[in-house]
Amino acid sequence: MKAHVWVMPKRTVLDPQGQTIQHTLAGLGYAEVKDVRQGKFFVLDLGGWTREEAQGQLERISKDVLTNPVIEEYRFEIID
Amino acid sequence: MKAHVWVMPKRTVLDPQGQTIQHTLAGLGYAEVKDVRQGKFFVLDLGGWTREEAQGQLERISKDVLTNPVIEEYRFEIID
């Protein structure tokens, strides 16, 4: 079983990495890219949990370890 | 129109950030998390391209700007 976790800066938070990329792209001629947001993506290999257990544990792992809840938000999907 | 781009360390490349998270999780009692890979996730807002143009431009942006092809690989999806 695998899990995919996305961690993104909250909409209300500035994203300087994303802005830098957007400016770089504009400078390279990609003016059609109006906005860039950069986040993190995790692939976790899981063993020994039922799908229901994984759901609960992933909620805790995402919230407590992978995300800074002051400035970031997360979502996850369990695969298989 | 939006695009989602995933950039991940190649399978053959060590991922020290992912390993650190896996070790941290093991120390917190999450031994069921066997492996962690960390990558980047980008959300791009696009304006002024057809879907076909976006497909070609995203290929170039992903390859030339968002990815270090020596150690990373990418995939993208166009939304809408």
Side-chain angles (χ1 to χ4, degrees), chain A residues 6 8 21 30 32-47 49 57 60-61, chain B residues 6 8 21 30 32-47 49 57 60-61:
Chain A
W6 289 259
M8 296 299 292
I21 293 167
Y30 297 105
E32 292 85 353
V33 181
K34 305 300 184 190
D35 187 52
V36 178
R37 303 285 284 174
Q38 177 171 348
K40 287 174 279 186
F41 179 66
F42 301 92
V43 180
L44 281 66
D45 276 326
L46 308 176
W49 282 330
Q57 302 287 19
R60 284 178 30 193
I61 288 171
Chain B
W6 289 259
M8 295 299 290
I21 292 168
Y30 297 105
E32 293 85 352
V33 180
K34 306 300 185 190
D35 188 51
V36 178
R37 303 284 284 173
Q38 178 172 348
K40 287 174 278 188
F41 179 66
F42 300 93
V43 179
L44 280 67
D45 275 326
L46 308 176
W49 282 331
Q57 301 287 20
R60 284 176 33 192
I61 288 171

Side-chain angles (χ1 to χ4, degrees), chain A residues 11-75:
Chain A
R11 256 159 259 274
T12 50
V13 170
L14 285 175
D15 173 10
Q17 290 180 304
Q19 288 181 338
T20 299
I21 293 167
Q22 190 269 321
H23 291 148
T24 299
L25 290 172
L28 290 170
Y30 297 105
E32 292 85 353
V33 181
K34 305 300 184 190
D35 187 52
V36 178
R37 303 285 284 174
Q38 177 171 348
K40 287 174 279 186
F41 179 66
F42 301 92
V43 180
L44 281 66
D45 276 326
L46 308 176
W49 282 330
T50 66
R51 202 187 173 83
E52 288 68 33
E53 288 169 338
Q55 189 76 26
Q57 302 287 19
L58 255 296
E59 190 74 43
R60 284 178 30 193
I61 288 171
S62 298
K63 198 156 101 182
D64 298 342
V65 180
L66 302 180
T67 303
N68 175 347
V70 178
I71 55 169
E72 294 172 329
E73 59 193 8
Y74 66 89
R75 70 184 178 87

